Amino acid sequence: MPDAPSDSARSPGLPPLAAAGRAAAQSRPWRNPPRWLRRGPGWLLHGLLLALFAWAAALLLDWALLEAVFRPDAAACRALQGNGACWGVIAEKGRAILFGRYPYGEHWRSLVASLLLLALLLGSGWRALRPAAGRPLALAWLLGLGACLALLYGGFAGLSRVDTARWGGLPLTLLLTLLGLGGALPLAVGLALARQSAHPWRRRLATAYIELVRGVPLVPVLFLATFLLPLLLPQGWTLDVLLRVLLGLVLFAAAFLAEILRGGLQALPAGQREAAAALGLTPWQQQRHVVLPQVFRSTLPALMNSCISTLKETSLVTIVGLHELTGSLALALAGDPDWRLFYLEGYLFLALLYGSSCHALSRYSRFLERRLATRG
């Protein structure tokens, strides 16, 4: 009777050692469990995470909606004892949070100024996609910002005068962000070009400024601009605190924007400049029509990221006495014993405002990238 074929004979495509290992595994199946059993720990971990997420979502839903108080009733909110959210604090203190210390009877001016700034932003986002938008857009911004500042400050046409120290809330946040970025961008372009310049002294000065400012947090810059700058001014000269803070934001943001633009300048092929020079364009025309458009296009994601960072960093001006959204919330609740316990709901409201604003900027940046890529 012939012998039974060996494992290597039954599996001619396998080497002898592999065939022997396979035969051993088949003889001891408990050492080679099925695939679904080998993946068991991973599925178990995923299930535990999903269960934990469902449990946390149920607790959050119960706290934020089912057990929450939405009417401005301080007694009902205290009766919850933390078992439900008190959204009534937003209904009661919403105007104080949005407009800060601005006179209560003049809140309509802050509202109109905020809507005007938002309209300029939305109009710019739509207009920037169309050709020949530069001059009309610049004129619209000049007139819109002038009208916004005049409306907030007053002193004409029967409007009471409101000093900048009393500006706050949403209008102040928008103004600091827009004016800070608007002032920082031209300075950043100059710094980036100077750092790429062939003149050693320009390159060294720009490098020293950028590295010095980027190595310092924003808080010391705000303190220097607020408290040290008045000591350096000639005797008898004064500078409004809002202008000093805005100057600090501009100088700080310009250093970061300059590095972003410098990366775009380095990524631009040298042939672009050579072709522009061969066409007889002047250095200014080369920068305006050839170099800078491509630099802004290639660095758009990083530039938008810096804009979002600047929007969030405006909350730091509270430490120097200006009450933007975050400072207005602290100011609105600190002096009211009935509502001072409900800071969490107030900060969640601000998180919703900041989050929606940053998300809108991010989505617009992605839309603009796709639009420019289609055009290219």
Side-chain angles (χ1 to χ4, degrees), residues 65-78:
L65 295 177
L66 301 181
E67 299 293 335
V69 172
F70 294 91
R71 62 185 184 277
D73 188 345
C77 289
R78 288 194 299 270

Side-chain angles (χ1 to χ4, degrees), residues 162-180:
V162 181
D163 293 333
T164 57
R166 302 191 65 183
W167 296 7
L170 182 61
L172 183 59
T173 297
L174 292 175
L175 281 174
L176 289 174
T177 304
L178 297 176
L179 293 178

Side-chain angles (χ1 to χ4, degrees), residues 352-371:
L352 178 62
L353 289 180
Y354 279 107
S356 57
S357 301
C358 295
H359 179 69
L361 289 174
S362 177
R363 296 294 297 178
Y364 176 71
S365 174
R366 295 183 63 183
F367 167 75
L368 196 57
E369 289 176 47
R370 292 193 298 268
R371 184 65 175 265

Side-chain angles (χ1 to χ4, degrees), residues 295-313:
V295 168
F296 280 110
R297 179 176 174 177
S298 62
T299 59
L300 180 61
L303 289 175
M304 187 59 68
N305 183 61
S306 185
C307 293
I308 292 175
S309 298
T310 303
L311 170 63
K312 295 185 292 185
E313 286 169 352

Side-chain angles (χ1 to χ4, degrees), residues 59-70 83-87 348:
L59 290 181
L60 181 62
L61 179 65
D62 183 69
W63 177 83
L65 295 177
L66 301 181
E67 299 293 335
V69 172
F70 294 91
N83 295 321
C86 177
W87 302 118
L348 288 176

Side-chain angles (χ1 to χ4, degrees), residues 42-107:
W43 288 110
L44 179 61
L45 180 59
H46 292 166
L48 290 176
L49 289 177
L50 287 176
L52 180 62
F53 176 78
W55 174 75
L59 290 181
L60 181 62
L61 179 65
D62 183 69
W63 177 83
L65 295 177
L66 301 181
E67 299 293 335
V69 172
F70 294 91
R71 62 185 184 277
D73 188 345
C77 289
R78 288 194 299 270
L80 293 174
Q81 297 182 352
N83 295 321
C86 177
W87 302 118
V89 67
I90 307 301
E92 178 69 21
K93 297 293 183 180
R95 291 179 63 172
I97 295 173
L98 290 177
F99 305 127
R101 294 190 298 174
Y102 207 82
Y104 189 85
E106 304 292 331
H107 278 179

Side-chain angles (χ1 to χ4, degrees), residues 77-271:
C77 289
R78 288 194 299 270
L80 293 174
Q81 297 182 352
N83 295 321
C86 177
W87 302 118
V89 67
I90 307 301
E92 178 69 21
K93 297 293 183 180
R95 291 179 63 172
I97 295 173
L98 290 177
F99 305 127
R101 294 190 298 174
Y102 207 82
Y104 189 85
E106 304 292 331
H107 278 179
W108 66 271
R109 291 160 57 180
S110 291
L111 177 61
V112 173
S114 301
L115 293 177
L116 181 59
L117 291 175
L118 292 175
L120 286 172
L121 280 174
L122 294 176
S124 300
W126 172 77
R127 185 70 179 175
L129 300 178
R130 303 181 62 186
R135 291 183 179 179
L137 194 59
L139 182 60
W141 272 101
L142 184 62
L143 296 177
L145 285 175
C148 178
L149 294 174
L151 188 62
L152 289 173
Y153 193 73
F156 66 97
L159 298 177
S160 60
R161 177 177 172 179
V162 181
D163 293 333
T164 57
R166 302 191 65 183
W167 296 7
L170 182 61
L172 183 59
T173 297
L174 292 175
L175 281 174
L176 289 174
T177 304
L178 297 176
L179 293 178
L181 291 172
L185 191 57
L187 179 58
V189 172
L191 288 170
L193 293 176
R195 192 164 186 178
Q196 295 293 106
S197 174
H199 299 278
W201 64 271
R202 293 182 186 175
R203 186 172 60 253
R204 290 169 185 170
L205 287 178
T207 301
Y209 172 82
I210 292 173
E211 296 302 328
L212 177 63
V213 175
R214 289 176 68 239
V216 178
L218 179 57
V219 173
V221 175
L222 294 177
F223 270 105
L224 292 175
T226 305
F227 302 111
L228 181 61
L229 183 59
L231 301 178
L232 302 178
L233 294 176
Q235 188 174 5
W237 285 32
T238 58
L239 195 61
D240 189 86
V241 63
L242 178 58
L243 294 178
R244 300 200 298 268
V245 169
L246 184 60
L247 179 62
L249 283 174
V250 167
L251 296 177
F252 185 80
F256 290 87
L257 292 176
E259 281 298 277
I260 295 174
L261 295 176
R262 184 174 71 91
L265 288 171
Q266 289 181 335
L268 187 68

